[in-house]
Amino acid sequence: LLPEHPVDFGLVVLAGALVLKWAEGRIVHLGVDTLLVFGAACALMGYRSAPTVRIGRVEEGVVGNDMLPAPSPPKRGVVPSPQKENVPQDREEGRAGASPERRLSRRSMMEKSTGMLDLKGDRNRRSLHLIQASMRNMKTDVPAMEDEEGGGRAAAAEEGKTPIAAATTFARFPDGAKIGSHLNCWSSPPSTNFQVRGPNYLKDKKKVPSDDYLFPCRGCDLFLTDNPPTNVGRNPSILEGRLRDVPTFVVNYRLPWGVFLSYHEIPDRFLPFLRRGEGYGDTSAPLPPTSGMTAGERAMCNFLLADADEKNEAWKIVPIVVEGPWVVKRVTGGKPAIVGTKMPITYVYQPPGTGEGGRRLCEYLEADLDIVSSAAARNILAVVRSYTQVLTIDLGFVVQGNSGEELPERMMLGLRLHGLDPLTAELLPEFEDGDGAVVISESEYDSGNETE
């Protein structure tokens, strides 16, 4: 109930101090009946102010106080394609568009998030139904893609599964547009926005603006799923089917209700070190010399040669809130943090290969960040969830320089995310091995209300 803006909060504190000063030295006699009534009133106010954790389907198109027409249920195994008739213009300019002990908190988080977001347009209504169905599926340990007969992908194929197609990716933020004017867009922020360890940091602890990113950004995506997978790069649909056109580093943020993916190109000069670190190719061949590289490039080569534990000790995230509420800026802080000490990370390498029709498939390295396993990350999500649409944030990663040869540091990658509306997100496209998108049957739309 307290105001979020620091000025308003200060005024409330000042008013409280004045009241206490006025009451100093005064004696007030209150009867027992009065104290009981006051206590009961406070308890009722707290009960009414607490968010309602109510999990269930959207019955007859009613969500909170909004009356929404219930969409017709899709066939099993068919991911509904987005419709554009009632999509607001600002969203058309952007994208066309959950462990067992955590399930209740996951569903509560998504329930509160969806309740505070805009519910306009057919795509929003459809996404809301999918989110609700996804939350219902979290109450069981059975994978979402398995049906009663255990057929999974085979059953979906028999009932008319749609062929795998390229998924729509986030649009790039228009040049010159005002920050906050577009949702579900990305851009590459100036690398100088990030302060990194300087050349003499081990002595003077001074930081300097970073040089250009080592891995340029290719784009980002947000997909809904109740079972966020690892190794999303094996999905042929992501990044509009272009992921393996060039060597790519994928960051997979495994959220309670979906996955957020960012893609970054790996320059050719780092590929020998990546392949040697992953044991691919001729391991007896000499590596290219690093004498002509910058300190940041040498640190990146050491990172690619390292094992998972060594990577976790050196990989840092740097979040910067460019525009958003004061409370979000306060929580994120903007300070670097060693990611591997905050949450589990899984690294997956896929070597180059050949696809259908002789198409050349480039390699990728994916880092899967298990956000749900981190208490600190969950606390940040709990604060940020209500402000995703008005939030512009820079997400950067850097390899920590621990010696003079690795200083000054240089940002590995950076991404600016302009607003985020989960209700416009698509389901995670189906994988070729049958994993991925939630298959929603007609019976799920007709099931009764459930509460926990």
Side-chain angles (χ1 to χ4, degrees), residues 76 137 140-147 225-227 436-440:
R76 178 183 292 272
N137 287 338
T140 174
D141 289 331
V142 180
M145 283 299 298
E146 296 181 1
D147 54 15
T225 175
D226 65 349
N227 186 24
V438 181
V439 180
I440 301 178

Side-chain angles (χ1 to χ4, degrees), residues 66-88:
D66 297 324
M67 299 296 295
L68 303 176
S72 58
K75 296 180 180 180
R76 178 183 292 272
V78 177
V79 179
S81 59
Q83 300 176 358
K84 299 185 179 181
E85 289 82 355
N86 298 322
V87 180

Side-chain angles (χ1 to χ4, degrees), residues 29-40:
H29 298 281
L30 296 176
V32 176
D33 294 341
T34 304
L35 290 177
L36 290 176
V37 171
F38 180 75

Side-chain angles (χ1 to χ4, degrees), residues 50-288:
T52 302
V53 181
R54 185 173 184 176
I55 309 302
R57 69 184 179 90
V58 182
E59 184 178 14
E60 302 298 333
V62 179
V63 183
N65 296 325
D66 297 324
M67 299 296 295
L68 303 176
S72 58
K75 296 180 180 180
R76 178 183 292 272
V78 177
V79 179
S81 59
Q83 300 176 358
K84 299 185 179 181
E85 289 82 355
N86 298 322
V87 180
Q89 183 179 358
D90 60 338
R91 291 179 186 157
E92 280 300 306
E93 294 175 350
R95 184 181 180 171
S99 74
E101 66 275 9
R102 303 291 183 189
R103 284 171 184 150
L104 181 58
S105 62
R106 290 183 183 185
R107 294 198 296 268
S108 303
M109 181 182 298
M110 198 62 221
E111 186 83 310
K112 289 182 281 187
S113 297
T114 57
M116 299 188 72
L117 295 176
D118 185 19
L119 300 178
K120 298 179 181 179
D122 289 342
R123 183 183 293 107
N124 295 34
R125 300 186 184 99
R126 182 181 297 106
S127 297
L128 182 58
H129 280 280
L130 297 179
I131 292 172
Q132 295 287 351
S134 174
M135 291 188 294
R136 288 200 302 275
N137 287 338
M138 286 188 230
K139 67 180 184 294
T140 174
D141 289 331
V142 180
M145 283 299 298
E146 296 181 1
D147 54 15
E148 295 83 355
E149 296 78 20
R153 175 179 171 85
E158 293 176 0
E159 297 185 23
K161 176 177 64 65
T162 55
I164 295 176
T168 304
T169 190
F170 275 21
R172 184 153 191 162
F173 191 76
D175 293 336
K178 181 181 179 181
I179 291 181
S181 61
H182 294 71
L183 287 178
N184 296 340
C185 292
W186 70 275
S187 64
S188 185
S191 60
T192 53
N193 285 6
F194 297 95
Q195 296 289 313
V196 297
R197 293 183 174 188
N200 300 315
Y201 180 83
L202 299 180
K203 295 180 180 179
D204 57 23
K205 303 300 180 182
K206 291 183 178 180
K207 293 189 175 183
V208 296
S210 173
D211 285 337
D212 292 338
Y213 302 109
L214 295 172
F215 294 179
C217 186
R218 298 185 61 197
C220 63
D221 281 318
L222 176 67
F223 295 110
L224 299 178
T225 175
D226 65 349
N227 186 24
T230 58
N231 193 12
V232 181
R234 72 186 191 274
N235 191 311
S237 300
I238 61 176
L239 196 59
E240 296 183 334
R242 299 180 290 103
L243 174 67
R244 305 192 67 177
D245 287 356
V246 296
T248 301
F249 183 80
V250 183
V251 184
N252 175 17
Y253 303 81
R254 302 173 64 201
L255 303 169
W257 39 264
V259 291
F260 176 73
L261 309 169
S262 66
Y263 315 102
H264 309 267
E265 182 178 353
I266 304 177
D268 291 342
R269 64 182 182 277
F270 295 115
L271 295 182
F273 301 92
L274 171 61
R275 294 169 181 172
R276 178 64 58 87
E278 300 297 334
Y280 175 76
D282 185 2
T283 57
S284 62
L287 289 171

